């Protein structure tokens, strides 16, 4: 199971790399349909490109996955994202009824576990820290470059 | 000031009426630019129409307002919405740096004040209960019709 998580997280990390190359905070996301084990959405953060504060990787992936399956619930999917989701994205995961969330790096400032006090955990199985080092390192490199 | 709030909430309520007529949970939203007092975005909930769980009135309005002004922050705007925002929309309001939030009906189940324990209130002035009766009544009528 952990090997599967790393496999999909690595694809999310590739998406984050795309974001990095476009000058976006490097966060990537994939949504996997559990019955088929197929990826039904891939996305990366596009806040700067679209000048849209709602264009986080997870929001784009959820909209895209729902368009793909033609339904508003993703209740047999797993969402992989390289950074612990924020309040907005946690809410979107909640509304989409996504039962499994796997994230890479922890976000101690805006991450859901600190903000929502376990709201999601009532109905979402959450696993953090998959490829944590790589996910975190990409974000740190981005901000280091930005400052210099 | 209260008369202004009622004026804009009534326009949000018209948007909610649009949602109602399309079989959507009737929630409407407007964003007003404070310096000009002009409405820069109007929207209503489109979750069913788009089959997209992120298509809440506020998310659509924020994306639309940012597209209109060509910037990712709405830091001189007021957002009016007929129902107390959920977790996802509260997060979007936070990221958009909207300083003033005015809502109509209270949402004791999914409303932000109950979920986020004052996260928004650190940087957003929040006023609830404007045209509360009308906003609430429209939603109640919707669910009553749906059940029968």
């Amino acid at each position: 199971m952990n090997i599967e998580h790393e496999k999909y997280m690595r694809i999310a990390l590739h998406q984050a790399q795309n974001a990095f190359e476009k000058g976006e905070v490097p966060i990537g996301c994939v949504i996997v349909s559990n019955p088929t084990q197929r990826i039904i959405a891939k996305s990366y953060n596009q806040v700067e490109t679209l000048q849209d504060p709602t264009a986080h990787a997870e929001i784009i992936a959820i909209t895209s996955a729902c368009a793909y399956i033609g339904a508003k619930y993703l209740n047999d999917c797993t969402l992989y994202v390289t950074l612990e989701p924020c309040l907005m994205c946690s809410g979107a995961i909640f509304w989409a009824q996504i039962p499994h969330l796997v994230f890479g790096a922890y976000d101690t400032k805006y991450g859901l576990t600190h903000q929502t006090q376990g709201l999601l955990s009532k109905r979402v199985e959450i696993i953090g820290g998959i490829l944590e080092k790589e996910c975190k390192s990409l974000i740190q490199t981005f901000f280091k470059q930005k400052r210099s």
Side-chain angles (χ1 to χ4, degrees), chain A residues 20 26 137-148:
Chain A
F20 187 97
S137 159
L138 187 65
I139 295 171
Q140 285 176 332
T141 307
F142 175 83
F143 283 108
K144 208 179 279 175
Q145 281 192 13
K146 225 180 144 102
R147 275 192 299 267
S148 67

Side-chain angles (χ1 to χ4, degrees), chain A residues 13 16-17 20 26 82-83 104-106 131-145:
Chain A
L13 205 46
Q17 188 68 43
F20 187 97
T82 56
L83 183 68
Y106 289 83
L131 299 186
E132 182 182 0
K133 224 175 101 181
E134 292 95 318
C135 293
K136 192 175 168 180
S137 159
L138 187 65
I139 295 171
Q140 285 176 332
T141 307
F142 175 83
F143 283 108
K144 208 179 279 175
Q145 281 192 13

Side-chain angles (χ1 to χ4, degrees), chain A residues 48-103:
Chain A
E48 297 303 326
T49 307
L50 302 176
Q51 287 290 294
D52 181 349
T54 75
H56 285 197
E58 301 95 310
I59 299 284
I60 296 170
I62 289 170
T63 296
S64 170
C66 288
Y68 178 76
I69 64 168
K72 66 177 173 170
Y73 295 132
L74 301 169
N75 45 20
D76 57 6
C77 292
T78 301
L79 185 144
Y80 293 85
V81 60
T82 56
L83 183 68
E84 186 179 359
C86 74
L87 196 66
M88 174 178 71
C89 295
S90 303
I93 290 163
F94 179 85
W95 289 122
Q97 299 191 0
I98 294 174
H100 306 284
L101 163 64
V102 182
F103 66 84

Side-chain angles (χ1 to χ4, degrees), chain A residues 31-44:
Chain A
I31 296 177
V32 177
S33 163
N34 295 329
T36 61
Q37 286 289 299
R38 282 186 60 190
I39 292 172
I40 60 169
K42 289 192 277 192
S43 66
Y44 53 86

